[in-house]
Amino acid sequence: MLSKIPTRILIIDNNQVQNELYSKLKNKGYEAIVVSNSDEGIKTIKENKFGVIIINTKIVDKKTISVMRKIKEMDSRIERVVICKNTKDAKMEYFDRIINKSMNVEDVVVIIEKTLEKYQLKEMVAMYERTMDVFSTLEFNELPKVIIDSTVEELRADDASLMLFDDNKKQLYIVDSNGLSKEIISATKMSVGEGISGYVVKNRRPLLLIDGLENDPRFKHIKQKGVQRKNPITSSIVVPLIKNNKVLGILNINRRNIIEHFTEHDLHKANTAASLISVAIENAKMHSHIKKTGEQELLKVHDELQEASEKIRQMQVQLIREEKFSLLHKLTSSLVHQLRTPLSIIDLSAQFLKKEIQGSEKIISTLNTIQRNIQRASDILQDMFEMVLIKAETMKFERCRIGEILEKAIEIMQPKLNGAGVNVRMKCAKEELQYININKHYLEHVVVNLISNSIDAMSEGGEINIDLSVDPKSEKIVMTFVDTGKGVKEEHLKELFTPFFTTKEKGIGLGLFTVLQIIEAHRGDIKVKSELNVGTTFIISLPIK
């Protein structure tokens, strides 16, 4: 689940009537600030960080649009919301959310909370992109500057410094800083337990400091090394860099001119980044070592580097995927819950009308049709809810012939295949080799989804070739789906299984994400390759045992 976002909400209330919304948000634990006009709002945004900006106005005029443009220029990740009387005046190109003034304040709060969740997801993606800059730098002499620049930008710091630990001398030394002179960098050395940095190394735990050292009883006695600056530190984060239980160094992050203090959320972000930075430092050290070794050692270390890099890539992908999946689960649960109530009301109304109306077979037949479709809609909602909770331990597996699943799925899709002018050719292994433990319902969903996608990619008709084979070496059954559609752009291939990613005008981007969940729950894997104007191929491998 997504945690409550420790991010400020700014309400620019030109009408000074949003006291109720402000109170509701405060009661839910959110930090909200209200200003009375746009100029004051822009000034406040420059001094503090906000996740959501809400403008309450009677009409959306040129000034409102101009303010929203300025906010986007200042920070493109900020979610912009407008509450106005006539929503037709507001265009989505200027706002992320448009809310009608007539909406109940409780419903407005729900929308704001979902908007905050979207902002948090943007923050996680941005953090992932910045760490990619760090991991793409393998030259050890270039890495410190990349780390410092990335940290300062991500955490909105005034300055930062990176210190590494000399295991032989048992000392910390500065390798780079964007706020210290070369003389201070070369002269500064600290032992374990000495100063703030030495304290963090000794205790191996991150530290959040507010209002300088003199206000913290743990460090009143400490005299900071180096030249005292005109602008003292107002808040600091100091995090240890640890890999395989070994201290590599520390990262100092400071705010001097920025009024807003670092928060626990900032500390969490810094600690997460420190874990990834530690691996990047080790990778860079390995890369430097590679240059000094012979050919045999080179190959060995290179393999270790590749393995470490792949693990980090998987960690990054998993981090983003978990955040998106958490958001998907929450949104789906909310959608199912909100739609079930009106469907139940319609169903009960139909039942009442059937009892009240006598003798009209046509009306009774129509009401029966309504009830059947209500049940179908309810079943679809339940399936949608279950799809985002797919786990192997909750599935019921039985030994089935995989070819039977393919045949049933083709039969289901036949009307759509005929209407689109698409032919299906299927080639199967011997029947006795097709039996594996699967969940028939879910695997049928996979095949139907892939066939449906292929049909959508062949607007002028075409062909789908399905090949079912057995790989005796890997002891896997392999299903290959090849279509003659328009293909997928190379830059889109890696995003196909990401929730909410779609290239279709009316798609929501959950189909292939669900397919991946089902295949992984079967301990299988799925691969895709495509060529524009030639077609797309999906290859699914499932273990026989």
Side-chain angles (χ1 to χ4, degrees), residues 121 317 320-329 388 494-502 508-514 516-517:
L121 188 58
V317 171
I320 299 301
R321 185 175 168 190
E322 285 176 0
E323 289 294 327
K324 288 187 176 181
F325 183 78
S326 178
L327 177 60
L328 171 63
H329 178 213
V388 299
K494 62 182 179 180
E495 302 287 347
L496 284 183
F497 299 103
T498 303
F500 304 126
F501 176 81
T502 181
I508 60 172
L510 294 179
L512 287 177
F513 168 72
T514 303
L516 177 64
Q517 296 291 109

Side-chain angles (χ1 to χ4, degrees), residues 26 62 107 168 237 251 313 332 355 471 513 520 525:
K26 293 287 283 186
K62 290 182 178 179
D107 294 332
N168 295 322
I237 289 175
L251 187 61
R313 189 194 68 79
T332 303
K355 291 178 181 179
D471 184 351
F513 168 72
E520 288 184 345
D525 62 76

Side-chain angles (χ1 to χ4, degrees), residues 144-163:
K145 185 178 186 307
V146 176
I147 291 173
I148 294 297
D149 291 345
S150 175
T151 301
V152 168
E153 185 173 357
E154 181 60 34
L155 290 169
R156 293 176 64 244
D158 286 309
D159 61 71
S161 60
L162 174 66
M163 301 185 80

Side-chain angles (χ1 to χ4, degrees), residues 228-355:
Q228 294 296 318
R229 302 192 186 187
K230 293 180 180 178
N231 297 330
I233 295 172
T234 58
S235 63
S236 298
I237 289 175
V238 188
V239 288
L241 306 175
I242 301 173
K243 179 74 167 61
N244 296 330
N245 205 33
K246 177 184 177 183
V247 176
L248 304 180
I250 59 105
L251 187 61
N252 287 298
I253 312 158
N254 303 313
R255 282 182 180 169
R256 300 174 187 275
N257 302 315
I258 297 172
I259 297 174
E260 182 184 11
H261 287 152
F262 286 123
T263 63
E264 290 290 338
H265 181 58
D266 292 322
L267 181 65
H268 174 73
K269 285 172 68 177
N271 204 34
T272 301
S275 300
L276 301 174
I277 288 169
S278 298
V279 179
I281 290 172
E282 285 290 271
N283 285 353
K285 285 182 177 179
M286 277 194 267
H287 182 74
S288 298
H289 179 62
I290 285 173
K291 292 182 175 181
K292 300 175 184 177
T293 58
E295 186 174 331
Q296 188 174 7
E297 185 67 16
L298 179 98
L299 292 173
K300 179 183 175 182
V301 177
H302 177 71
D303 289 342
E304 291 175 356
L305 178 61
Q306 288 292 95
E307 183 181 351
S309 296
E310 178 59 23
K311 284 181 181 178
I312 292 305
R313 189 194 68 79
Q314 291 174 4
M315 284 172 58
Q316 294 167 331
V317 171
Q318 184 65 18
L319 179 64
I320 299 301
R321 185 175 168 190
E322 285 176 0
E323 289 294 327
K324 288 187 176 181
F325 183 78
S326 178
L327 177 60
L328 171 63
H329 178 213
K330 194 166 186 178
L331 292 176
T332 303
S333 301
S334 175
L335 176 65
V336 171
H337 175 74
Q338 292 181 39
L339 288 181
R340 274 178 176 162
T341 300
L343 285 173
S344 298
I345 293 171
I346 296 170
D347 187 37
L348 290 170
S349 299
Q351 291 181 36
F352 172 78
L353 289 174
K354 283 170 67 176
K355 291 178 181 179

Side-chain angles (χ1 to χ4, degrees), residues 342-523:
L343 285 173
S344 298
I345 293 171
I346 296 170
D347 187 37
L348 290 170
S349 299
Q351 291 181 36
F352 172 78
L353 289 174
K354 283 170 67 176
K355 291 178 181 179
E356 293 294 315
I357 298 171
Q358 302 293 333
S360 177
E361 292 184 5
K362 187 174 181 180
I363 293 176
I364 296 297
S365 175
T366 301
L367 290 172
N368 286 335
T369 301
I370 290 172
Q371 286 188 293
R372 282 196 304 273
N373 280 281
I374 289 170
Q375 184 58 48
R376 183 167 178 271
S378 297
D379 291 342
I380 291 171
L381 283 174
Q382 185 60 33
D383 284 348
M384 182 178 178
F385 182 67
E386 290 176 358
M387 287 302 176
V388 299
L389 294 172
I390 292 170
K391 292 181 180 178
E393 54 266 28
T394 61
M395 278 191 180
K396 293 182 180 179
F397 292 89
E398 56 183 318
R399 196 156 184 81
C400 301
R401 185 173 68 86
I402 198 79
E404 183 183 337
I405 306 296
L406 292 171
E407 292 160 4
K408 179 71 181 297
I410 293 170
E411 182 183 340
I412 292 171
M413 296 301 296
Q414 199 60 57
K416 189 173 179 180
L417 288 163
N418 293 339
V422 175
N423 297 317
V424 176
R425 299 180 186 275
M426 189 165 69
K427 180 183 176 183
C428 291
K430 293 180 180 180
E431 283 195 13
E432 61 267 23
L433 300 176
Q434 296 181 23
Y435 287 88
I436 57 173
N437 288 324
I438 56 172
N439 182 292
K440 291 170 65 175
H441 170 70
Y442 282 119
L443 207 61
E444 184 182 291
H445 177 88
V446 168
V447 179
V448 167
N449 187 282
L450 294 179
I451 291 174
S452 179
N453 284 348
S454 291
I455 293 171
D456 292 341
M458 295 182 284
S459 57
E460 298 180 2
E463 188 170 278
I464 303 173
N465 287 290
I466 302 175
D467 182 77
L468 178 61
S469 61
V470 177
D471 184 351
K473 290 184 179 180
S474 62
E475 295 186 319
K476 290 183 178 181
I477 280 185
V478 181
M479 291 185 288
T480 306
F481 298 80
V482 183
D483 67 44
T484 57
K486 60 185 179 182
V488 181
K489 293 179 180 178
E490 186 176 351
E491 60 266 29
H492 290 163
L493 281 176
K494 62 182 179 180
E495 302 287 347
L496 284 183
F497 299 103
T498 303
F500 304 126
F501 176 81
T502 181
T503 58
K504 300 177 184 178
E505 289 184 6
K506 297 182 179 180
I508 60 172
L510 294 179
L512 287 177
F513 168 72
T514 303
V515 166
L516 177 64
Q517 296 291 109
I518 294 171
I519 296 302
E520 288 184 345
H522 281 78
R523 295 182 297 114

